[in-house]
Amino acid sequence: MTSLSHPTAGGTSASAAPNSVVHTKVYGDAEHLQVPAAATHVSSEQMLDWFKQMLLIREFELRCMQAYQEKKIGGFCHVYIGQEAVAVGCTAAVQHKDPIVTAYRDHGHALARGMDPKHCMAEMFGRIGGCAKGKGGSMHMFDRDNNLYGGHGIVGAQTPLGAGLAFGCKYMDEVIDGKPNSRVSLCFLGDGALNQGAFHEAMNLAGLFDIPVIYVVENNGYSMGTAIARGTTMAHSLITKAAGYGIDGYVVDGMDVVGVYADMKHIADKCRATSRPAFVDMRTYRYKGHSMSDPRKYRTKEEEEVFETHDPIGRLEARLKTAGLLTDDTLKAMQKGVRETVRDAITWSDESPVPPMAELYHDVFVEPWGPYTGSSQPAMNGGTANPPSMRTIDTKEELS
């Protein structure tokens, strides 16, 4: 096992982390709580920014839960409460040019990557102002300008795409531009996706062809309502799955945003320099159910309380206050600003129109053809029409 750690100055130490007995029950072991500290520099400005991002994600998700109960959001809805440190820390550890792809618990990743909350909320509401024009909903956040290539609703379906994004970037850098590879891709997946065949095919290709994709398993201990040890072999040591493909594996405490950043920065820098893949067992915990319809009867209140006492937002708040970087008044102002931002996003989304019926024939084909009207960018990217890749000459289609 390769374990990375992070500084504990001004925050909680490994010994103060959630009860190791509970961690062993959830993850199979608690070794990630006992690793020695490793130094990394994080500025006060960075930590305050991460704190605000996590507050935004938490407030956004709470309001999504409320909107779902008010029937403003349809279909499935998977909130990210408890796992905020993962999206924020991982996103901060890579460069903006690095592509990111994730599964269906994706609102936090979209916000951490820079999506405007109003376009994110409008997509939740199924409105035309959403990032996918209201056609994708909760599970399909997409932001090309910020190199976020989806939320994906099919379990594990994003894992080959993560390898493909990294391969495409590497091909562009090395073959087209004739320069060393300069990018990595982040591919997030839940622990429930580990048994999907497509994931293992992608891991095999990544290991075989030196594809710089980083698979981040957001291991919250439960595949929907099934404890990971009941459905996945070697649940106590998931990185052994990576070893079979010759890929380096790491175990990271996903409940501390500073630690996530420090560890992921090390991993991303190594993958970028060596043009090799990596596998991360990111140990985290979701405070709510798998989806809005999940009553969480498969775990105890005592277990939840252990993890809730070490909320990633609360841990960073304590660190900032200990370091003299955050006061109660500043905290109240930040919370008020975040609430206003999300409230404005809800108001904007309520006012955004539902997609017109004509949208049924739009974005189906790039080319205008028959009843289909081509495709265009969402409003948040300007709404411009996408240039066709084909052209019609004498009623025959040819490559342009």
Side-chain angles (χ1 to χ4, degrees):
M1 175 189 296
T2 302
S3 293
L4 299 173
S5 58
H6 46 85
T8 57
T12 55
S13 66
S15 61
N19 189 297
S20 61
V21 174
V22 175
H23 268 242
T24 300
K25 174 183 176 293
V26 174
Y27 306 118
D29 68 44
E31 292 185 30
H32 63 289
L33 301 179
Q34 306 302 327
V35 294
T40 187
H41 175 72
V42 179
S43 70
S44 58
E45 291 80 9
Q46 282 179 300
M47 286 195 288
L48 286 167
D49 182 58
W50 298 341
F51 185 64
K52 185 175 181 180
Q53 286 185 50
M54 290 198 293
L55 287 176
L56 174 62
I57 294 170
R58 179 69 59 89
E59 180 69 16
F60 186 94
E61 296 292 56
L62 288 170
R63 293 301 181 182
C64 282
M65 293 178 67
Q66 181 180 19
Y68 188 89
Q69 292 165 345
E70 295 171 351
K71 298 185 178 180
K72 291 183 177 182
I73 297 173
F76 293 103
C77 181
H78 309 83
V79 297
Y80 203 59
I81 295 173
Q83 300 183 206
E84 296 92 345
V86 179
V88 172
C90 288
T91 301
V94 297
Q95 300 174 18
H96 186 265
K97 66 181 179 180
D98 297 325
I100 293 177
V101 65
T102 186
Y104 43 77
R105 197 182 305 279
D106 58 348
H107 323 149
H109 304 81
L111 295 172
R113 195 55 160 166
M115 183 183 292
D116 190 314
K118 67 175 183 284
H119 295 298
C120 193
M121 188 64 78
E123 191 60 38
M124 298 294 296
F125 286 15
R127 301 304 179 93
I128 194 69
C131 64
K133 305 180 188 177
K135 300 176 183 181
S138 171
M139 298 191 287
H140 300 284
M141 298 297 159
F142 193 96
D143 189 350
R144 190 182 70 173
D145 286 357
N146 282 314
N147 291 312
L148 176 69
Y149 293 93
H152 294 266
I154 299 175
V155 176
Q158 76 280 12
T159 55
L161 301 182
L165 287 165
F167 179 79
C169 290
K170 181 174 181 175
Y171 189 89
M172 180 66 71
D173 289 343
E174 296 183 354
V175 178
I176 304 299
D177 295 338
K179 299 177 181 178
N181 172 67
S182 66
R183 287 173 283 181
V184 299
S185 74
L186 285 185
C187 180
F188 294 91
L189 60 149
D191 49 273
L194 287 170
N195 303 321
Q196 294 294 320
F199 171 61
H200 291 271
E201 292 181 37
M203 287 268 282
N204 182 64
L205 289 173
L208 188 65
F209 294 138
D210 296 330
I211 299 175
V213 54
I214 304 172
Y215 287 110
V216 181
V217 181
E218 298 196 57
N219 180 6
N220 57 36
Y222 296 92
S223 306
M224 295 183 68
T226 303
I228 184 173
R230 296 184 62 192
T232 300
T233 59
M234 297 300 291
H236 66 288
S237 183
L238 295 180
I239 60 175
T240 57
K241 298 181 184 293
Y245 298 107
I247 295 174
D248 289 341
Y250 303 86
V251 179
V252 175
D253 178 5
M255 301 298 281
D256 182 350
V257 68
V258 179
V260 172
Y261 167 78
D263 295 352
M264 288 301 297
K265 183 72 165 58
H266 169 87
I267 295 166
D269 288 349
K270 181 179 179 181
C271 291
R272 198 184 309 277
T274 61
S275 191
R276 285 286 298 166
F279 176 99
V280 180
D281 178 2
M282 184 71 70
R283 295 184 177 181
T284 184
Y285 199 82
R286 54 172 165 79
Y287 292 153
K288 304 300 180 181
H290 172 74
S291 67
M292 287 294 294
S293 59
D294 177 9
R296 314 197 305 275
K297 293 183 178 180
Y298 46 85
R299 63 191 196 190
T300 65
K301 292 186 181 297
E302 291 75 16
E303 176 187 307
E304 292 181 347
E305 288 171 358
V306 167
F307 282 94
E308 286 171 359
T309 58
H310 287 266
D311 185 329
I313 296 177
R315 289 176 74 173
L316 184 56
E317 177 185 336
R319 178 174 295 189
L320 290 168
K321 286 184 174 179
T322 300
L325 300 173
L326 183 68
T327 65
D328 289 341
D329 288 341
T330 304
L331 173 60
K332 290 178 182 178
M334 291 177 71
Q335 291 172 327
K336 180 181 178 182
V338 165
R339 285 194 296 269
E340 290 175 351
T341 296
V342 177
R343 191 181 303 119
D344 290 345
I346 292 172
T347 300
W348 191 89
S349 300
D350 280 333
E351 295 173 353
S352 179
V354 297
M357 291 297 290
E359 282 293 323
L360 288 172
Y361 299 95
H362 198 62
D363 299 321
V364 179
F365 296 104
V366 175
E367 306 300 321
W369 177 72
Y372 303 107
T373 56
S375 69
S376 60
Q377 292 295 305
M380 71 177 193
N381 292 341
T384 57
N386 293 319
S389 58
M390 308 275 285
R391 64 185 177 201
T392 302
I393 300 177
D394 296 331
T395 72
K396 294 182 179 180
E397 293 181 343
E398 296 181 0
L399 288 173
S400 59

